[in-house]
Amino acid sequence: MKTAGPSTTTRAPQASAVAVPAPAGHVAHVPAHAEGRTRLAVARLLLEQGPITAAEVAAELELSAAAVRRHLDALIADGEAETRDAPRRTRRSRGRPAKHFLLTDAGRVRFGHGYDDLATSALRFLAAHAGEQAVGEFARSRVHELLGGAEDEIHAAGTPEERAEALAKVLTSRGYAAAAREAGHGVQLCQHHCPVAHVAAEFPELCEAETAAFAEVLGTHVQRLATIARGDSACTTHVPTVFPEAPERLRTGQRPGPLGQQATTTSPRGRQSS
Protein backbone atom coordinates (compact mmCIF):
# COMPACT_ATOMS: atom_id res chain seq x y z
CA MET A 1 0.00 0.00 0.00
CA LYS A 2 1.28 3.40 -0.95
CA THR A 3 1.34 5.98 1.76
CA ALA A 4 0.09 9.41 0.69
CA GLY A 5 2.67 12.09 1.15
CA PRO A 6 1.93 15.34 2.90
CA SER A 7 -0.38 17.59 0.91
CA THR A 8 0.92 20.87 -0.32
CA THR A 9 -1.02 23.99 -1.20
CA THR A 10 0.21 26.26 -3.95
CA ARG A 11 -0.57 29.94 -3.33
CA ALA A 12 -0.95 32.39 -6.15
CA PRO A 13 1.60 35.17 -5.94
CA GLN A 14 0.14 38.40 -4.62
CA ALA A 15 0.08 41.31 -7.04
CA SER A 16 2.28 44.07 -5.79
CA ALA A 17 0.87 47.59 -5.80
CA VAL A 18 2.19 49.51 -8.75
CA ALA A 19 1.85 53.27 -8.97
CA VAL A 20 0.21 54.29 -12.21
CA PRO A 21 1.60 57.54 -13.52
CA ALA A 22 -0.87 60.28 -14.41
CA PRO A 23 -1.41 60.67 -18.13
CA ALA A 24 0.61 63.32 -19.89
CA GLY A 25 -1.00 66.72 -19.74
CA HIS A 26 -3.05 65.81 -16.67
CA VAL A 27 -3.71 68.76 -14.34
CA ALA A 28 -4.42 67.99 -10.72
CA HIS A 29 -7.69 69.31 -9.38
CA VAL A 30 -7.28 72.60 -7.57
CA PRO A 31 -10.12 74.04 -5.46
CA ALA A 32 -11.82 77.00 -7.10
CA HIS A 33 -11.11 79.31 -4.16
CA ALA A 34 -7.40 78.51 -4.37
CA GLU A 35 -7.43 79.16 -8.11
CA GLY A 36 -9.11 82.50 -7.49
CA ARG A 37 -6.51 83.57 -4.92
CA THR A 38 -3.64 82.57 -7.19
CA ARG A 39 -5.12 84.37 -10.18
CA LEU A 40 -5.57 87.48 -8.06
CA ALA A 41 -1.92 87.24 -6.99
CA VAL A 42 -0.83 86.94 -10.64
CA ALA A 43 -2.97 89.93 -11.60
CA ARG A 44 -1.60 92.00 -8.71
CA LEU A 45 1.95 91.20 -9.77
CA LEU A 46 1.17 92.38 -13.31
CA LEU A 47 -0.27 95.55 -11.80
CA GLU A 48 2.73 96.26 -9.58
CA GLN A 49 5.60 95.06 -11.78
CA GLY A 50 4.23 94.78 -15.31
CA PRO A 51 5.23 94.50 -18.05
CA ILE A 52 6.72 91.25 -16.76
CA THR A 53 7.53 87.87 -18.29
CA ALA A 54 5.86 84.58 -17.39
CA ALA A 55 9.18 83.29 -16.04
CA GLU A 56 9.45 86.27 -13.71
CA VAL A 57 5.88 85.70 -12.50
CA ALA A 58 6.67 82.05 -11.82
CA ALA A 59 9.84 82.94 -9.89
CA GLU A 60 8.19 85.69 -7.84
CA LEU A 61 5.14 83.61 -6.84
CA GLU A 62 6.99 80.26 -6.72
CA LEU A 63 4.60 78.66 -9.22
CA SER A 64 5.20 76.17 -11.99
CA ALA A 65 5.48 77.44 -15.54
CA ALA A 66 2.30 75.53 -16.48
CA ALA A 67 0.31 77.10 -13.63
CA VAL A 68 1.46 80.61 -14.54
CA ARG A 69 0.61 80.06 -18.18
CA ARG A 70 -2.88 78.84 -17.23
CA HIS A 71 -3.60 81.95 -15.18
CA LEU A 72 -2.12 84.33 -17.75
CA ASP A 73 -4.15 82.71 -20.54
CA ALA A 74 -7.32 83.08 -18.44
CA LEU A 75 -6.63 86.77 -17.77
CA ILE A 76 -6.02 87.38 -21.47
CA ALA A 77 -9.20 85.49 -22.43
CA ASP A 78 -11.18 87.70 -20.00
CA GLY A 79 -9.66 90.85 -21.49
CA GLU A 80 -7.85 91.68 -18.23
CA ALA A 81 -4.29 91.21 -19.50
CA GLU A 82 -2.38 91.68 -22.73
CA THR A 83 1.09 90.93 -24.09
CA ARG A 84 3.95 92.86 -25.61
CA ASP A 85 7.17 91.69 -27.18
CA ALA A 86 10.05 92.23 -24.80
CA PRO A 87 12.77 94.49 -26.22
CA ARG A 88 15.93 92.71 -27.41
CA ARG A 89 18.87 93.36 -25.12
CA THR A 90 21.51 93.11 -27.84
CA ARG A 91 21.56 93.01 -31.61
CA ARG A 92 23.00 89.49 -31.49
CA SER A 93 20.05 88.04 -29.58
CA ARG A 94 18.51 85.13 -31.40
CA GLY A 95 15.13 83.46 -31.30
CA ARG A 96 11.70 84.80 -30.57
CA PRO A 97 11.71 87.63 -27.99
CA ALA A 98 10.07 86.83 -24.65
CA LYS A 99 6.52 88.02 -24.10
CA HIS A 100 5.82 90.66 -21.50
CA PHE A 101 2.48 90.59 -19.72
CA LEU A 102 0.60 93.58 -18.28
CA LEU A 103 -2.91 94.43 -17.15
CA THR A 104 -5.45 96.16 -19.38
CA ASP A 105 -7.76 98.92 -18.15
CA ALA A 106 -10.40 96.22 -17.54
CA GLY A 107 -7.92 94.29 -15.43
CA ARG A 108 -7.10 97.32 -13.28
CA VAL A 109 -10.79 97.70 -12.39
CA ARG A 110 -10.49 94.60 -10.21
CA PHE A 111 -8.26 96.62 -7.87
CA GLY A 112 -10.59 99.61 -7.69
CA HIS A 113 -10.16 103.22 -8.72
CA GLY A 114 -11.06 106.70 -7.55
CA TYR A 115 -13.30 107.71 -10.47
CA ASP A 116 -16.45 107.77 -8.34
CA ASP A 117 -14.78 109.94 -5.70
CA LEU A 118 -13.47 112.28 -8.37
CA ALA A 119 -16.89 112.63 -10.02
CA THR A 120 -18.60 113.21 -6.68
CA SER A 121 -16.05 115.86 -5.71
CA ALA A 122 -16.50 117.59 -9.06
CA LEU A 123 -20.28 117.73 -8.66
CA ARG A 124 -19.94 119.04 -5.10
CA PHE A 125 -17.69 121.80 -6.43
CA LEU A 126 -20.17 122.56 -9.23
CA ALA A 127 -23.09 122.74 -6.77
CA ALA A 128 -21.14 124.99 -4.38
CA HIS A 129 -19.91 127.43 -7.01
CA ALA A 130 -22.61 127.36 -9.70
CA GLY A 131 -25.67 126.20 -7.75
CA GLU A 132 -27.99 123.20 -7.85
CA GLN A 133 -29.34 124.28 -11.24
CA ALA A 134 -25.92 123.70 -12.80
CA VAL A 135 -25.88 120.15 -11.43
CA GLY A 136 -29.26 119.53 -13.05
CA GLU A 137 -28.07 120.94 -16.37
CA PHE A 138 -25.01 118.71 -16.26
CA ALA A 139 -27.19 115.66 -15.52
CA ARG A 140 -29.47 116.40 -18.48
CA SER A 141 -26.51 116.93 -20.79
CA ARG A 142 -24.94 113.66 -19.67
CA VAL A 143 -28.01 111.51 -20.28
CA HIS A 144 -28.54 112.95 -23.75
CA GLU A 145 -24.94 112.09 -24.57
CA LEU A 146 -25.62 108.62 -23.17
CA LEU A 147 -28.48 108.04 -25.59
CA GLY A 148 -26.39 109.47 -28.41
CA GLY A 149 -28.25 109.42 -31.71
CA ALA A 150 -30.52 106.56 -30.68
CA GLU A 151 -33.72 108.63 -30.50
CA ASP A 152 -34.66 107.95 -34.13
CA GLU A 153 -33.90 104.25 -33.70
CA ILE A 154 -36.25 104.10 -30.71
CA HIS A 155 -39.00 106.06 -32.47
CA ALA A 156 -38.77 103.70 -35.44
CA ALA A 157 -40.24 101.01 -33.18
CA GLY A 158 -44.00 101.53 -33.38
CA THR A 159 -45.73 100.45 -30.17
CA PRO A 160 -44.77 101.50 -26.63
CA GLU A 161 -43.62 97.95 -25.92
CA GLU A 162 -41.36 97.97 -28.97
CA ARG A 163 -39.97 101.39 -28.09
CA ALA A 164 -39.19 100.23 -24.55
CA GLU A 165 -37.44 97.16 -25.96
CA ALA A 166 -35.43 99.36 -28.33
CA LEU A 167 -34.43 101.64 -25.44
CA ALA A 168 -33.35 98.60 -23.40
CA LYS A 169 -31.08 97.49 -26.24
CA VAL A 170 -29.51 100.93 -26.48
CA LEU A 171 -28.89 101.03 -22.72
CA THR A 172 -27.39 97.54 -22.79
CA SER A 173 -24.97 98.64 -25.50
CA ARG A 174 -23.94 101.46 -23.14
CA GLY A 175 -23.18 99.02 -20.30
CA TYR A 176 -26.44 99.19 -18.31
CA ALA A 177 -27.52 95.52 -18.77
CA ALA A 178 -31.11 96.56 -19.43
CA ALA A 179 -34.19 94.51 -20.31
CA ALA A 180 -37.88 95.27 -20.93
CA ARG A 181 -40.61 92.95 -19.67
CA GLU A 182 -44.39 93.12 -19.58
CA ALA A 183 -45.93 94.03 -16.22
CA GLY A 184 -49.66 94.63 -15.83
CA HIS A 185 -50.81 97.48 -18.06
CA GLY A 186 -47.33 98.41 -19.10
CA VAL A 187 -43.68 97.48 -19.44
CA GLN A 188 -40.99 97.51 -16.79
CA LEU A 189 -37.62 98.73 -18.00
CA CYS A 190 -34.99 97.17 -15.72
CA GLN A 191 -31.36 98.27 -15.64
CA HIS A 192 -29.32 95.68 -13.75
CA HIS A 193 -26.16 97.77 -13.70
CA CYS A 194 -25.50 101.47 -13.17
CA PRO A 195 -21.96 102.79 -13.72
CA VAL A 196 -22.75 105.99 -11.78
CA ALA A 197 -24.71 104.45 -8.88
CA HIS A 198 -22.29 105.64 -6.18
CA VAL A 199 -22.34 109.21 -7.49
CA ALA A 200 -26.13 109.18 -7.96
CA ALA A 201 -26.54 108.15 -4.31
CA GLU A 202 -25.50 111.69 -3.39
CA PHE A 203 -26.72 113.43 -6.55
CA PRO A 204 -30.18 112.03 -7.45
CA GLU A 205 -30.32 114.63 -10.23
CA LEU A 206 -28.58 112.01 -12.36
CA CYS A 207 -31.49 109.60 -11.86
CA GLU A 208 -34.09 112.33 -12.36
CA ALA A 209 -32.53 113.48 -15.64
CA GLU A 210 -32.38 109.88 -16.85
CA THR A 211 -36.05 109.31 -16.05
CA ALA A 212 -37.05 112.53 -17.82
CA ALA A 213 -35.01 111.53 -20.88
CA PHE A 214 -36.74 108.13 -20.96
CA ALA A 215 -40.14 109.85 -20.93
CA GLU A 216 -39.01 112.20 -23.67
CA VAL A 217 -37.63 109.54 -25.96
CA LEU A 218 -40.56 107.16 -25.38
CA GLY A 219 -43.09 109.95 -25.79
CA THR A 220 -45.06 108.99 -22.69
CA HIS A 221 -45.29 109.41 -18.94
CA VAL A 222 -42.99 107.03 -17.05
CA GLN A 223 -42.50 106.28 -13.37
CA ARG A 224 -39.23 105.34 -11.69
CA LEU A 225 -39.98 102.59 -9.18
CA ALA A 226 -36.52 101.70 -7.89
CA THR A 227 -32.87 102.67 -8.27
CA ILE A 228 -29.58 100.96 -7.52
CA ALA A 229 -28.40 104.25 -6.02
CA ARG A 230 -31.03 103.86 -3.26
CA GLY A 231 -30.00 100.28 -2.54
CA ASP A 232 -32.41 98.43 -4.83
CA SER A 233 -31.22 95.49 -6.92
CA ALA A 234 -32.03 97.23 -10.20
CA CYS A 235 -33.16 100.56 -11.59
CA THR A 236 -36.79 99.91 -12.57
CA THR A 237 -38.94 102.24 -14.65
CA HIS A 238 -42.63 101.64 -15.38
CA VAL A 239 -43.70 102.49 -18.93
CA PRO A 240 -47.52 102.48 -19.32
CA THR A 241 -48.86 101.04 -22.56
CA VAL A 242 -52.59 101.73 -22.11
CA PHE A 243 -53.90 105.28 -22.13
CA PRO A 244 -57.67 105.83 -21.99
CA GLU A 245 -57.28 109.21 -23.64
CA ALA A 246 -55.50 107.86 -26.72
CA PRO A 247 -56.29 104.18 -27.24
CA GLU A 248 -56.41 104.43 -31.05
CA ARG A 249 -52.90 105.85 -31.32
CA LEU A 250 -51.50 103.07 -29.13
CA ARG A 251 -53.35 100.30 -30.97
CA THR A 252 -52.07 101.48 -34.33
CA GLY A 253 -48.56 102.13 -33.05
CA GLN A 254 -48.42 105.69 -34.36
CA ARG A 255 -45.30 107.64 -33.59
CA PRO A 256 -45.63 109.97 -30.59
CA GLY A 257 -45.59 113.70 -31.03
CA PRO A 258 -42.52 115.93 -30.80
CA LEU A 259 -40.06 115.14 -28.05
CA GLY A 260 -40.98 116.76 -24.80
CA GLN A 261 -44.69 116.89 -25.64
CA GLN A 262 -46.86 114.98 -23.15
CA ALA A 263 -43.71 113.47 -21.65
CA THR A 264 -43.89 113.63 -17.88
CA THR A 265 -42.12 111.69 -15.19
CA THR A 266 -42.45 110.59 -11.62
CA SER A 267 -39.13 110.15 -9.89
CA PRO A 268 -38.00 110.27 -6.24
CA ARG A 269 -36.40 113.60 -5.51
CA GLY A 270 -34.19 115.15 -2.92
CA ARG A 271 -30.49 114.91 -2.08
CA GLN A 272 -29.53 111.52 -0.69
CA SER A 273 -26.74 110.99 1.74
CA SER A 274 -23.66 109.20 0.47
Side-chain angles (χ1 to χ4, degrees):
M1 178 181 294
K2 293 183 179 181
T3 304
S7 61
T8 59
T9 303
T10 303
R11 295 180 180 273
Q14 288 185 339
S16 59
V18 178
V20 179
H26 172 74
V27 179
H29 173 70
V30 180
H33 61 85
E35 280 279 286
R37 288 199 302 269
T38 304
R39 189 156 304 162
L40 180 61
V42 172
R44 183 175 293 280
L45 193 63
L46 298 187
L47 175 73
E48 296 174 350
Q49 300 187 25
I52 187 173
T53 66
E56 291 169 332
V57 174
E60 181 72 21
L61 299 179
E62 298 182 351
L63 297 172
S64 69
V68 169
R69 174 58 63 181
R70 184 172 70 254
H71 290 295
L72 290 173
D73 287 346
L75 290 170
I76 291 173
D78 291 340
E80 296 187 21
E82 60 185 357
T83 62
R84 292 180 184 170
D85 288 336
R88 294 182 182 273
R89 297 183 181 277
T90 66
R91 293 184 178 180
R92 295 184 179 181
S93 298
R94 295 182 179 180
R96 177 181 296 180
K99 291 287 186 183
H100 274 175
F101 296 84
L102 65 159
L103 288 186
T104 62
D105 289 341
R108 293 187 185 93
V109 170
R110 147 192 319 250
F111 298 99
H113 51 66
Y115 297 158
D116 288 346
D117 292 339
L118 177 63
T120 302
S121 296
L123 287 180
R124 287 173 183 163
F125 181 89
L126 185 63
H129 292 78
E132 299 288 338
Q133 182 179 355
V135 175
E137 292 175 357
F138 166 80
R140 288 187 290 274
S141 173
R142 176 197 164 272
V143 74
H144 281 292
E145 289 181 1
L146 171 68
L147 294 178
E151 289 89 349
D152 290 339
E153 176 185 344
I154 296 171
H155 282 314
T159 66
E161 293 92 338
E162 292 170 342
R163 290 195 295 273
E165 183 66 34
L167 175 57
K169 290 180 180 179
V170 171
L171 291 172
T172 295
S173 70
R174 307 293 198 266
Y176 282 75
R181 63 187 183 190
E182 293 185 6
H185 297 293
V187 175
Q188 282 192 355
L189 181 66
C190 299
Q191 298 157 252
H192 299 282
H193 177 62
C194 177
V196 298
H198 290 93
V199 182
E202 182 171 346
F203 291 93
E205 290 91 344
L206 295 173
C207 298
E208 294 167 6
E210 186 178 271
T211 306
F214 290 174
E216 184 177 10
V217 76
L218 294 172
T220 182
H221 166 88
V222 302
Q223 183 178 13
R224 181 58 63 89
L225 303 178
T227 64
I228 296 175
R230 294 189 305 171
D232 299 304
S233 60
C235 297
T236 306
T237 306
H238 179 72
V239 182
T241 57
V242 176
F243 301 92
E245 69 275 15
E248 182 62 26
R249 177 176 64 82
L250 295 175
R251 282 198 300 269
T252 58
Q254 294 178 7
R255 176 172 171 160
L259 289 181
Q261 190 174 26
Q262 300 298 324
T264 58
T265 67
T266 302
S267 178
R269 301 183 63 83
R271 175 83 69 230
Q272 300 179 35
S273 59
S274 55

